[in-house]
Amino acid sequence: MAIYRIHVSLLDIKPPIWRRIELSSQTTLRQFHRILQIVMGWENYHLHEFLVGKQRYGVPDSTYDEPGEVILEGKIHLFDLLPTPGAQIQYIYDFGDYWQHAVKLEEIVSIEPDAEYPRVVGGARNCPPEDCGGTGGYANLLDILMDPKHEDYQHMREWAGDKFLAEAFSLKDTNLRLRRSRSLAVKLK
């Protein structure tokens, strides 16, 4: 089994919101979706899909998708789509706000004895709150939260919650959340 070091960043956000994750190359896209939800700070309220070129991977919806248009994510592993360092895919979360994540295999690293995978080894900034309106709505939210005299400040502060701090990111807390998802943890010897 190989350990992948993957860089994930939200597109069209400045300064960047990103994470560096180490995990098994045998992780399925279904498992990877759950990992991304945890490490980015999303709450798994919305639909998602992975894109490689025009090929879509996810959970097909017979109401909207033609047969074969979306490949079932539980049968596809990271090594299938990210075979070599530099390979990239895209992860889309919330088809309304349309959060686009660039996912890049940075390198294949050695297994560390007694390490638990998946794990986050780097990152910056808090994920936007759910349903804030995509990149434009998020930029507007940040502008309002930076100006306590803004007429919508109190309303938006309450909506975002007192705990939302755009610049905050805790590697320790993120890894604790991963550990709590026991179904994702892999201990290698």
Side-chain angles (χ1 to χ4, degrees):
M1 172 186 343
I3 296 299
Y4 277 8
R5 180 173 293 151
I6 291 178
H7 187 272
V8 179
S9 61
L10 265 175
L11 297 177
D12 303 321
I13 299 282
K14 298 228 189 277
I17 297 170
W18 63 273
R19 305 291 182 263
R20 182 165 285 117
I21 309 163
E22 291 182 350
L23 71 170
S24 167
S25 63
Q26 296 177 7
T27 302
T28 66
L29 291 183
R30 181 178 176 200
Q31 293 167 319
F32 190 44
H33 157 68
R34 186 67 191 124
I35 291 166
L36 289 172
Q37 288 290 301
I38 293 168
V39 305
M40 293 303 293
W42 298 118
E43 298 180 39
N44 205 22
Y45 291 162
H46 302 284
L47 298 174
H48 70 279
E49 69 183 6
F50 294 89
L51 297 173
V52 180
K54 293 186 184 218
Q55 182 59 63
R56 298 168 52 211
Y57 299 85
V59 179
D61 183 335
S62 61
T63 307
Y64 300 101
D65 302 317
E66 296 294 323
E69 188 177 11
V70 178
I71 296 174
L72 193 60
E73 66 187 16
K75 298 179 184 247
I76 305 297
H77 298 87
L78 289 178
F79 65 78
D80 295 318
L81 302 181
L82 299 169
T84 57
Q88 296 184 55
I89 62 176
Q90 201 172 81
Y91 171 69
I92 308 298
Y93 174 63
D94 184 350
F95 297 162
D97 283 359
Y98 208 73
W99 297 107
Q100 299 175 69
H101 303 69
V103 177
K104 180 180 180 179
L105 174 57
E106 289 186 321
E107 63 182 309
I108 300 171
V109 299
S110 299
I111 295 172
E112 291 184 23
D114 298 320
E116 287 189 54
Y117 299 96
R119 65 182 182 178
V120 179
V121 295
R125 303 188 70 223
N126 202 349
C127 191
E130 295 275 356
D131 298 321
C132 69
T135 56
Y138 182 57
N140 186 50
L141 172 67
L142 292 180
D143 286 345
I144 292 169
L145 294 180
M146 299 266 302
D147 180 7
K149 294 180 181 176
H150 191 283
E151 65 182 284
D152 293 328
Y153 175 84
Q154 192 59 40
H155 170 72
M156 295 308 275
R157 178 78 272 167
E158 288 173 13
W159 179 84
D162 291 337
K163 293 182 180 180
F164 175 72
L165 301 169
E167 300 306 316
F169 171 71
S170 170
L171 191 61
K172 179 182 175 186
D173 290 347
T174 302
N175 279 311
L176 280 172
R177 284 194 306 276
L178 276 173
R179 294 289 75 75
R180 287 186 191 125
S181 289
R182 296 190 194 285
S183 63
L184 299 174
V186 178
K187 187 157 185 157
L188 306 172
K189 297 247 180 192

